[in-house]
Amino acid sequence: MSSIIHWLSDPRMHDYLAIVKGARNGFVYGVKVRFPHALIMAILFGRGDWKSRLLVIYKATKQHAFNLAKFVSLYKILLLLQRKANGGKQRSADTFVAGLLGGYVVFGDRSAVNEQIVLYVVSRVIASFMPRAGSPYSKAPAGASGSVVRPIPPDPRYFSVFAALSWGAVMWLFQHRGEAIQPGMFNSMTYLYRDSEVWTDLRTLLWHNT
């Protein structure tokens, strides 16, 4: 056991073991994020019997988990290769190059799961350009990674404008260009805004959607 602990704590092995743990964390996080989402979507919008719905949940969870595991490990491998090619030093552009190549390889094939992940990422990228407020989200001590960077929330004034434009745009798209909206969001908006226009009795008004 002591020899294993010594091997795990060997600085020469750190970069390689970080790839393994990155894959592990990607897989676990993918399961934690996708499974409850897929379950709720199956309950609200699923079609067919529960056997077919469970199969959809399993496939979506599996794809999300494995894709995150593959991306994290590939990203770390590409960073390591670039660092070794540059004499052990990491350059600013290395993260972009690793993310670019990893994103193309892992998330480049269009699927419902990949589309949702990419849209989630791009929304965060766009939001990052908003001016920031004066204080971080959290002033808690640094985590296990030792990072001292703290996310800073958007300036409330700019966020209000961003929120208004986002909702105005998506409601216009839903009404006039619904085919351009991501299917999961379209289903949610249909449930909220169109299904609420239809009922036949008190039961379908307050208890059941249809």
Side-chain angles (χ1 to χ4, degrees), residues 103-178:
Y104 180 80
V105 171
V106 178
F107 296 109
D109 290 332
R110 194 272 165 193
S111 68
V113 171
N114 281 354
E115 185 177 352
Q116 289 171 355
I117 294 172
V118 171
L119 289 175
Y120 175 88
V121 171
V122 75
S123 67
R124 269 58 182 176
V125 173
I126 293 172
S128 73
F129 290 101
M130 280 191 293
R132 301 287 105 180
S135 59
Y137 280 111
S138 171
K139 295 183 179 179
S145 64
S147 173
V148 295
V149 175
R150 293 285 179 269
I152 300 176
D155 185 298
R157 297 166 299 176
Y158 292 98
F159 181 79
S160 297
V161 175
F162 181 75
L165 290 174
S166 297
W167 278 100
V170 77
M171 297 313 298
W172 184 89
L173 285 169
F174 179 64
Q175 184 66 30
H176 300 287
R177 292 195 60 210

Side-chain angles (χ1 to χ4, degrees), residues 16-45:
Y16 304 101
L17 294 175
I19 296 170
V20 175
K21 184 165 185 181
R24 178 265 178 199
N25 283 8
F27 183 86
V28 171
Y29 186 80
V31 171
K32 287 182 176 181
V33 170
R34 178 55 57 173
F35 177 74
H37 175 269
L39 179 62
I40 294 300
M41 295 302 286
I43 293 173
L44 292 177
F45 306 114

